[in-house]
Amino acid sequence: MAAELAAPAEDGRPPAPSRTTRTARTSAKGEQTRARLIAAARTLLAGEGFARFSTRNVAALCGISHGMCHYHFQDRTDLIVAVVEDIGPEWIGPMEAAVDRPGSFTERAERVIALLTQPEGPDLSRLHSALHWFALNDERVRAAVDGEYRRWRECFVRLFQVLADEHAGAFDPVPPGTALAAAADGLAALQSLDSRVDPEATVRILVAGLAEAAVPRP
């Protein structure tokens, strides 16, 4: 049957694409359109006019119809949630890899410190600010942002879990891990306002102090 479908027509024209091929092409085009919409949404959210963010403006930036935007995203919130998911690999993925790669607590902590001392790009910083603003006013956005930050905090908890394991489970890794995550967020905000802050010295003191406080004294 497959051979018959692939055979040329009697007039010599190539056979028409199969339904599977047409579906695959349509699906690929749809994914490309969706990716373009998310990229445009990121651009608008990172810009100064994020308070006027709308699906109509995103569609206009993409050069596609407003109706096509709503074909891929039910409403503005759907699009914002897609952006939240889209940026996760950029800021959470590297931290997860740094923590989960094999090594001692000291080795993993060095990888974490290296990441935390890298300044966050201005676009990503503004994007996070915009997403937090929407999270204050939209429960679905808040849930999405909260889920990503839980992944972020879990990285630091896993880091201190390694230290706890090295000391036969002598302490709960959640408090120091959560403290480091909160301090890292605060440091990022501080760096955006004052370039004189020494991020490496600050993070090293934080990690060393939390590790010392977490491990029970003999």
Side-chain angles (χ1 to χ4, degrees), residues 35-65:
R36 286 173 55 202
L37 287 165
I38 293 174
R42 289 183 57 158
T43 298
L44 289 179
L45 287 169
E48 295 179 356
F50 75 86
R52 298 187 298 275
F53 178 84
S54 68
T55 54
R56 189 176 297 278
N57 289 338
V58 170
L61 184 59
C62 275
I64 67 174
S65 70

Side-chain angles (χ1 to χ4, degrees), residues 23-33:
T23 301
R25 288 177 181 172
T26 302
S27 177
K29 186 176 181 180
E31 286 301 313
Q32 291 173 358
T33 300

Side-chain angles (χ1 to χ4, degrees), residues 103-133:
S104 65
F105 170 79
T106 300
E107 292 168 333
R108 299 184 201 214
E110 284 297 321
R111 297 195 292 260
V112 167
I113 291 170
L115 287 175
L116 291 178
T117 54
Q118 294 177 8
E120 187 176 55
D123 285 347
L124 192 57
S125 178
R126 288 194 295 267
L127 188 51
H128 275 133
S129 296
L131 293 173
H132 284 147
W133 186 87

